[in-house]
Amino acid sequence: MNLDQRQADVLFTVVKSYIQSGLPVGSRTVARKSNLNLSPASIRNIMADLTEESYIEQPHTSAGRVPTAKGFRYYLDSKLDMEPLPREIEQKIKSSLAKVGPDLPRTLSQASKLLSSISNQISLVITPSHQNIRWKHIDFILLRPGLVMSILVMEGGMVQNKVISVDRDIMTDDLIKFSNYLNEHYQGKTLLQVRVSIYEQMKIAQRQFNQLYQSALRLARESFEPENNRQVYVDGTHYLFQDTDLANLSKMREVFKLLEERSKLLKLLDQTLESKSLSIILGQEQDWEELSDYTVISSPYSLKGDNIGMVSIIGPTRMNYSRIIPAVDLTARILSQILHDIYEYKNHEGLA
Amino acid sequence: MNLDQRQADVLFTVVKSYIQSGLPVGSRTVARKSNLNLSPASIRNIMADLTEESYIEQPHTSAGRVPTAKGFRYYLDSKLDMEPLPREIEQKIKSSLAKVGPDLPRTLSQASKLLSSISNQISLVITPSHQNIRWKHIDFILLRPGLVMSILVMEGGMVQNKVISVDRDIMTDDLIKFSNYLNEHYQGKTLLQVRVSIYEQMKIAQRQFNQLYQSALRLARESFEPENNRQVYVDGTHYLFQDTDLANLSKMREVFKLLEERSKLLKLLDQTLESKSLSIILGQEQDWEELSDYTVISSPYSLKGDNIGMVSIIGPTRMNYSRIIPAVDLTARILSQILHDIYEYKNHEGLA
DNA sequence: ATTAGCACTCTTAACCTAAGAGTGCTAATG
DNA sequence: CATTAGCACTCTTAGGTTAAGAGTGCTAAT
């Protein structure tokens, strides 16, 4: 069902006013704030319709209306009046991130700090999946007989390390041979590409009986395995305490629980990784009971056209979307730009 | 001023009852709960004295008494009735940590999770200062001309990496020479020891004009520099929402702010790193206005007699000390034990 | 189609009151 | 002389009542 112009106008006014005040919105207020020039009585009729279609609802008989999830969704799906971020904020982000230097983890961490402080909401920045990134160098270090640490340096300065158990008769010299081999033959490929190669070789190797060769492959396979170690940089958790009352205390607690369960969190954010652009998850809509009353706004950052990670904020459903959406969007864009620069060796003349 | 037996008894009863109920404690209650066999009237006299000396205080005229920071401190400084942790919990910690394998970061992270879940409080585990740990291997990787990543693997599997800018004419082959040299000559020393050596060599080198040699030293110096990268594993933040009302909301918010300001947090915990054993910081006592009403219990974990890191919890001042102190203490002990095992190559026959 | 008017509902804040918890003091007690 | 019973007093809290006010939906007038 679509809304006609007047209905949409009323709905938008209700949403905006509710975002601003957090209070149920009455017909009087809508009459004043909208530019429809209708009397409250007429507005009431329209609001009755909107309630019928459950875009808005009444907390109780004599209260004004509050937008439902459906109402918010309609508001968000319509092109809305974004306030473009002031130039100086954009500059601040750029310069602040440039200062960090060509170090991806620090860049992401800093981006998270910036985003939370300009949005006044909890920010999340998730590290890239390593799968589609090329790697630069691999090293195996014998921690002690039977135990090896593999260190995989990705372009952009991400490092992935892993402790791997191996046959006890593998020596440092063997490890050096392995790593030399891998560095020579596979360097510059993505992890995914390497994995495919290795699996092929393993099939062949099974027919041979070269023990050492098989060990090498096993070691390589483990090192390049898709690691479950994507990190999430979380900042600004204290913003969740903005205008809160006892009622949402238990809901806030759920948010904090969610933030600590990284696997759940990743699942939530992965939902949106596929979408090409900014996406909004309304907790009430989905079956994320942890997020009722909260909304997640995410925007992917990309490298060479692939979305590899996410920039997000978590805030109350009644947050100031016009301000925050551009903030998330811009942060993701700048991050993509900087990533591009790091990977293309541009604009970064080293650290101070 | 010291308390006599009876005064101490009354104070303890007040503290315990307050911890249990969170409510001001009246003379009736003390008369019942203490084993003094005195009438409420007599208790009232004693409580008046304790109030005089400000061990306890009255929220208002007709209310019972609440322990002050001084009262809590007296309670904590006296040897108190610890409930030793049940055997099975100790076992659970040990086995759960053993399962992680000889990987220090993961071990610490897991320890933090365990501690928060058995204490029902926010837990903090701070990673070791690398300064007094021996290192195993160093590697330099040329990210691109003029930019090197150094990777320093410590015993126990900590990795410290850093992006360092260098002269543009340093090549991969040079880097290999550098790292070989360092690995041969300094391996097995602590970072602190290496730094001292390097500074000495730099003094000598200044008089020479071997450009390459000087570069190598600069690179080494940066790599072994005391990094500001001690991490803190935080878990169980949602426990802060236990029995909370609007009054402490703003205080809770301060705690969350503190948790995100890692530098402040480290300063707080470093206070206690020197003390040989478990220590308790009452927020009200110190000038940590972020922590009024909260208390930090910390216990250091050690390697070869040196305290290298901390295990802590943050909880309300009225928490169950008898249960939680042993939990913190035990976790730190087990961690020390496991560290010892990792470093001595004992008890760890690799991963599954 | 729009709106003024109106009766109705429900929440909220303010006020009052009674109950109850706890105190400190005094005088009695063993 | 330490202890305790008794009591008047204070202050908080919960409950109940009330009045104000916000907002509604309906009806009838424009």
Side-chain angles (χ1 to χ4, degrees):
Chain A
M1 136 121 192
N2 252 342
L3 303 181
D4 65 31
Q5 186 56 43
R6 270 195 354 191
Q7 290 173 316
D9 266 12
V10 170
L11 175 56
F12 289 173
T13 309
V14 170
V15 171
K16 281 184 211 164
S17 170
Y18 178 70
I19 284 176
Q20 209 197 347
S21 69
L23 268 29
V25 186
S27 51
R28 247 188 99 78
T29 314
V30 175
R32 239 186 317 108
K33 289 204 180 183
S34 78
N35 39 16
L36 284 166
N37 274 351
L38 286 178
S39 74
S42 309
I43 300 287
R44 279 205 284 282
N45 288 325
I46 302 173
M47 287 170 84
D49 295 346
L50 289 171
T51 307
E52 182 71 23
E53 299 288 335
S54 69
Y55 287 94
I56 53 183
E57 64 189 1
Q58 274 179 296
H60 53 83
T61 4
S62 75
R65 305 301 213 285
V66 164
T68 61
K70 188 177 175 188
F72 272 111
R73 176 58 67 188
Y74 190 93
Y75 167 73
L76 292 169
D77 283 348
S78 318
K79 60 178 187 339
L80 39 131
D81 44 347
M82 293 299 166
E83 308 168 12
L85 278 190
R87 264 299 190 200
E88 63 260 30
I89 293 210
E90 183 170 348
Q91 277 313 315
K92 185 186 149 200
I93 301 179
K94 279 187 180 165
S95 70
S96 172
L97 287 182
K99 232 179 279 169
V100 173
D103 182 325
L104 190 50
R106 288 190 192 192
T107 303
L108 296 178
S109 158
Q110 181 66 15
S112 175
K113 284 200 177 63
L114 284 166
L115 180 54
S116 84
S117 84
I118 63 180
S119 68
N120 283 297
Q121 306 292 346
I122 296 181
S123 73
L124 311 173
V125 173
I126 157 174
T127 58
S129 155
H130 293 166
Q131 296 316 301
N132 294 313
I133 298 190
R134 289 171 308 182
W135 62 281
K136 194 92 197 147
H137 189 86
I138 193 166
D139 246 318
F140 298 119
I141 291 150
L142 193 63
L143 290 177
R144 62 173 137 101
L147 204 62
V148 167
M149 165 167 279
S150 82
I151 297 178
L152 189 55
V153 181
M154 320 295 299
E155 289 206 339
M158 299 293 283
V159 176
Q160 166 170 319
N161 37 271
K162 198 167 175 183
V163 176
I164 301 168
S165 67
V166 295
D167 293 340
R168 291 187 142 264
D169 48 6
I170 289 190
M171 298 292 160
T172 296
D173 287 345
D174 301 323
L175 293 175
I176 292 176
K177 269 185 233 155
F178 295 169
S179 57
N180 282 345
Y181 180 83
L182 290 169
N183 281 323
E184 268 170 42
H185 288 74
Y186 293 106
Q187 197 202 39
K189 296 209 196 305
T190 68
L191 296 210
L192 192 62
Q193 289 168 340
V194 176
R195 274 216 310 290
V196 171
S197 284
I198 288 176
Y199 274 105
E200 279 169 13
Q201 296 225 17
M202 283 187 95
K203 273 189 215 151
I204 302 169
Q206 278 184 345
R207 275 172 268 141
Q208 304 179 3
F209 291 91
N210 186 335
Q211 190 71 41
L212 203 64
Y213 184 49
Q214 294 209 0
S215 298
L217 283 177
R218 268 236 324 286
L219 194 55
R221 190 195 55 188
E222 293 246 23
S223 307
F224 288 99
E225 209 164 55
E227 263 304 87
N228 206 0
N229 58 3
R230 300 180 71 178
Q231 283 193 51
V232 186
Y233 296 99
V234 179
D235 269 286
T237 51
H238 63 272
Y239 289 121
L240 213 60
F241 288 81
Q242 285 162 327
D243 47 44
T244 264
D245 52 75
L246 273 184
N248 3 28
L249 254 182
S250 67
K251 287 172 182 169
M252 282 178 58
R253 183 174 190 173
E254 290 305 313
V255 174
F256 279 104
K257 266 192 192 158
L258 178 63
L259 287 177
E260 282 187 357
E261 287 191 62
R262 294 297 155 109
S263 58
K264 253 191 189 171
L265 198 54
L266 284 170
K267 209 170 116 197
L268 171 64
L269 296 177
D270 271 343
Q271 274 191 21
T272 60
L273 194 56
E274 279 103 45
S275 82
K276 284 294 166 217
S277 63
L278 186 135
S279 68
I280 298 174
I281 298 178
L282 295 173
Q284 297 164 64
E285 265 182 350
Q286 317 285 69
D287 49 348
W288 289 96
E289 52 319 334
E290 291 96 338
L291 286 178
S292 66
D293 285 12
Y294 292 96
T295 290
V296 182
I297 302 179
S298 305
S299 190
Y301 60 85
S302 62
L303 179 63
K304 306 195 175 170
D306 287 336
N307 295 339
I308 56 174
M310 301 290 296
V311 172
S312 312
I313 69 99
I314 295 183
T317 303
R318 56 164 284 256
M319 69 181 126
N320 185 342
Y321 294 94
S322 331
R323 241 174 28 78
I324 291 176
I325 289 180
V328 175
D329 186 59
L330 182 67
T331 307
R333 269 182 221 284
I334 295 181
L335 215 43
S336 298
Q337 179 62 45
I338 289 188
L339 272 186
H340 181 264
D341 293 345
I342 293 181
Y343 279 71
E344 298 293 328
Y345 303 173
K346 280 189 200 139
N347 289 350
H348 276 290
E349 289 306 316
L351 307 168
Chain B
M1 135 120 194
N2 252 343
L3 302 181
D4 65 30
Q5 185 57 45
R6 269 192 358 190
Q7 289 174 316
D9 266 12
V10 170
L11 175 57
F12 287 174
T13 310
V14 170
V15 170
K16 280 185 213 166
S17 170
Y18 178 69
I19 284 176
Q20 209 197 348
S21 69
L23 269 29
V25 186
S27 52
R28 247 188 100 80
T29 314
V30 176
R32 240 189 314 107
K33 288 206 181 180
S34 77
N35 38 17
L36 284 166
N37 274 352
L38 287 178
S39 75
S42 310
I43 299 287
R44 277 205 284 283
N45 288 326
I46 302 173
M47 286 170 83
D49 295 347
L50 289 171
T51 306
E52 182 71 22
E53 299 289 334
S54 70
Y55 286 94
I56 54 182
E57 63 189 1
Q58 285 184 91
H60 54 82
T61 4
S62 76
R65 306 299 214 284
V66 164
T68 61
K70 187 178 175 188
F72 271 111
R73 177 56 68 188
Y74 190 93
Y75 167 74
L76 291 169
D77 284 349
S78 319
K79 61 178 188 340
L80 41 130
D81 44 347
M82 292 301 167
E83 307 168 12
L85 278 191
R87 264 304 191 191
E88 65 260 29
I89 293 211
E90 183 171 349
Q91 277 312 315
K92 186 186 149 200
I93 301 179
K94 280 186 180 165
S95 71
S96 172
L97 286 181
K99 230 180 280 168
V100 173
D103 183 324
L104 190 51
R106 288 191 192 190
T107 302
L108 295 178
S109 158
Q110 181 66 13
S112 175
K113 286 201 176 62
L114 284 167
L115 180 56
S116 83
S117 84
I118 63 179
S119 68
N120 283 297
Q121 306 292 348
I122 297 182
S123 73
L124 311 174
V125 174
I126 157 174
T127 58
S129 155
H130 292 167
Q131 297 317 301
N132 295 312
I133 297 191
R134 290 172 306 181
W135 62 281
K136 194 92 197 141
H137 189 87
I138 192 165
D139 246 320
F140 298 118
I141 291 152
L142 192 63
L143 289 177
R144 63 173 135 103
L147 205 61
V148 168
M149 165 167 279
S150 83
I151 296 177
L152 189 55
V153 181
M154 321 295 298
E155 288 206 339
M158 301 292 283
V159 175
Q160 166 171 317
N161 36 270
K162 198 168 174 182
V163 176
I164 302 168
S165 65
V166 295
D167 292 342
R168 291 188 143 263
D169 49 4
I170 287 189
M171 297 292 160
T172 296
D173 287 344
D174 302 322
L175 293 175
I176 292 176
K177 270 185 234 156
F178 296 169
S179 57
N180 282 345
Y181 180 82
L182 290 169
N183 281 321
E184 268 171 44
H185 288 74
Y186 293 105
Q187 198 201 38
K189 295 205 195 306
T190 68
L191 295 211
L192 192 59
Q193 290 167 339
V194 175
R195 274 217 309 288
V196 173
S197 283
I198 289 176
Y199 274 104
E200 278 168 14
Q201 296 225 16
M202 283 186 95
K203 275 189 216 152
I204 301 169
Q206 278 184 345
R207 275 171 268 140
Q208 305 178 3
F209 290 92
N210 185 335
Q211 189 72 41
L212 202 63
Y213 184 50
Q214 294 209 0
S215 298
L217 283 176
R218 268 234 327 281
L219 195 54
R221 190 195 57 188
E222 293 246 23
S223 307
F224 288 98
E225 209 163 56
E227 263 304 88
N228 207 0
N229 58 3
R230 299 180 71 176
Q231 282 193 51
V232 186
Y233 296 100
V234 179
D235 269 286
T237 51
H238 62 273
Y239 289 121
L240 213 60
F241 287 81
Q242 284 162 328
D243 46 43
T244 263
D245 51 75
L246 274 185
N248 3 28
L249 253 181
S250 68
K251 288 172 181 169
M252 283 179 56
R253 184 175 189 172
E254 291 304 313
V255 174
F256 279 104
K257 265 192 195 160
L258 178 62
L259 286 177
E260 283 187 358
E261 286 191 61
R262 294 297 154 108
S263 58
K264 255 193 190 170
L265 197 55
L266 285 170
K267 209 171 115 197
L268 171 65
L269 296 178
D270 272 343
Q271 274 189 21
T272 60
L273 193 55
E274 279 103 44
S275 81
K276 284 293 166 217
S277 63
L278 186 135
S279 67
I280 298 175
I281 299 178
L282 295 173
Q284 297 164 62
E285 267 182 347
Q286 317 285 70
D287 49 346
W288 289 97
E289 57 311 340
E290 291 96 338
L291 285 179
S292 65
D293 286 12
Y294 292 95
T295 290
V296 183
I297 302 180
S298 304
S299 189
Y301 60 87
S302 63
L303 180 62
K304 307 195 174 172
D306 288 336
N307 294 339
I308 57 175
M310 299 291 296
V311 172
S312 312
I313 69 99
I314 295 182
T317 303
R318 57 163 284 258
M319 70 180 121
N320 185 342
Y321 293 94
S322 330
R323 240 173 30 77
I324 292 176
I325 289 181
V328 175
D329 187 59
L330 183 69
T331 307
R333 270 180 220 285
I334 295 181
L335 215 44
S336 297
Q337 180 61 45
I338 289 188
L339 273 187
H340 181 263
D341 291 348
I342 293 181
Y343 280 71
E344 299 293 326
Y345 302 173
K346 279 188 200 144
N347 290 349
H348 274 291
E349 290 306 315
L351 307 169

